[in-house]
Amino acid sequence: MVIFVSKKQQSSEKDFLFKFLVIGNAGTGKSCLLHQFIEKKFKDDSNHTIGVEFGSKIINVGGKYVKLQIWDTAGQERFRSVTRSYYRGAAGALLVYDITSRETYNALTNWLTDARMLASQNIVIILCGNKKDLDADREVTFLEASRFAQENELMFLETSALTGENVEEAFVQCARKILNKIESGELDPERMGSGIQYGDAALRQLRSPRRAQAQSAQECGC
Ligand code: GDP
Ligand code: MG
């Protein structure tokens, strides 16, 4: 497995740790979105040797440092074999379709069902209509996707892993919503043991800030 960590981020301190997933049909640009978020570059097609499966980055959300551990399907979605263990303990997800492919949009309901069943009812999901730069080939309008998002209680953005538009925003908005839910008490990390497993650092941070940092540094090898 290739571990892909932005060098600048490795030594930073963090307040919270969230596991994130990137899900959606093959070819929608999930790996490119992860690469763009971590490296701020478009992943060149010719560069097949970098099979990013995992990325990690610390972001600042309203003054709090949140470490996102982001899992990419690593091609499993091609065989419809995205496993239960992939979903387990995820706090947030980017659910990706390609705005130039109705087929990928039509598959969203299945992805959503799996995510809510296999991750947690409480997983915070942001819908990403990727390849926004290919507007001329669009098969899915912004309006219909935003209606779908509303009906299914998802946040929604159109993104471009090519230009970078809205890529950071997608991750940050999702993280912000999780933080807001924790802070408002809507999500109680103390009671998440059986379902969603927020990053242990986040859990402990709520109880004991000093212990949290010491322990998360020990446990997280990335
Ligand atoms: P995945 O199978 O969902 O991981 O998709 P990839 O990240 O491998 O991307 C699939 C194809 O879409 C590749 O040829 C990418 O170059 C292309 N691609 C990904 N994101 C974008 C985007 O935002 N704009 C455009 N024009 N192409 C993209
Ligand atoms: Mg991929």
Side-chain angles (χ1 to χ4, degrees):
M1 181 172 72
V2 179
I3 305 287
F4 208 89
V5 182
S6 169
K7 289 187 188 73
K8 273 182 284 184
Q9 305 295 339
Q10 289 181 57
S11 59
S12 309
E13 294 200 344
K14 56 198 170 286
D15 296 318
F16 291 91
L17 175 68
F18 296 153
K19 177 182 170 182
F20 265 40
L21 308 176
V22 192
I23 53 176
N25 275 16
T28 52
K30 298 181 300 299
S31 299
C32 289
L33 283 167
L34 177 57
H35 190 90
Q36 175 65 256
F37 176 59
I38 304 280
E39 285 291 289
K40 295 203 174 292
K41 279 194 289 228
F42 184 57
K43 184 166 83 79
D44 196 320
D45 256 358
S46 60
N47 199 352
H48 287 300
T49 51
I50 302 180
V52 181
E53 297 174 342
F54 174 84
S56 171
K57 183 167 173 171
I58 295 177
I59 54 173
N60 187 324
V61 186
K64 293 206 165 60
Y65 288 97
V66 179
K67 180 168 186 168
L68 301 183
Q69 288 185 336
I70 309 146
W71 295 86
D72 186 9
T73 54
Q76 289 181 85
E77 78 281 24
R78 283 181 204 285
F79 312 104
R80 298 197 161 270
S81 63
V82 178
T83 56
R84 188 175 283 267
S85 62
Y86 177 76
Y87 284 99
R88 197 171 295 142
L94 268 69
L95 172 58
V96 186
Y97 70 96
D98 172 351
I99 67 152
T100 72
S101 161
R102 180 154 293 275
E103 190 191 338
T104 67
Y105 178 78
N106 290 342
L108 290 175
T109 308
N110 285 340
W111 284 106
L112 208 49
T113 308
D114 278 5
R116 296 227 158 109
M117 203 169 63
L118 300 175
S120 159
Q121 287 290 329
N122 295 313
I123 187 170
V124 173
I125 302 173
I126 184 160
L127 179 65
C128 296
N130 192 40
K131 309 195 187 180
K132 186 181 197 294
D133 55 286
L134 298 178
D135 196 54
D137 302 322
R138 179 188 286 276
E139 288 185 0
V140 182
T141 67
F142 182 90
L143 191 63
E144 68 178 309
S146 53
R147 283 205 186 110
F148 176 87
Q150 217 168 10
E151 282 161 13
N152 291 281
E153 295 179 358
L154 310 169
M155 290 176 287
F156 171 55
L157 278 177
E158 284 191 345
T159 58
S160 171
L162 178 72
T163 66
E165 188 176 352
N166 281 343
V167 175
E168 174 121 1
E169 286 80 352
F171 288 93
V172 170
Q173 282 190 23
C174 196
R176 184 179 296 128
K177 180 122 179 217
I178 294 165
L179 274 178
N180 287 346
K181 284 187 165 194
I182 292 172
E183 284 168 2
S184 72
E186 193 181 331
L187 277 181
D188 180 2
E190 302 279 347
R191 293 169 62 191
M192 287 295 160
S194 58
I196 198 165
Q197 291 171 20
Y198 278 82
D200 287 347
L203 284 169
R204 284 190 292 268
Q205 180 74 18
L206 292 175
R207 298 181 202 140
S208 161
R210 293 175 101 197
R211 230 177 92 215
Q213 280 177 356
Q215 290 205 5
S216 67
Q218 271 175 12
E219 285 167 12
C220 184
C222 52

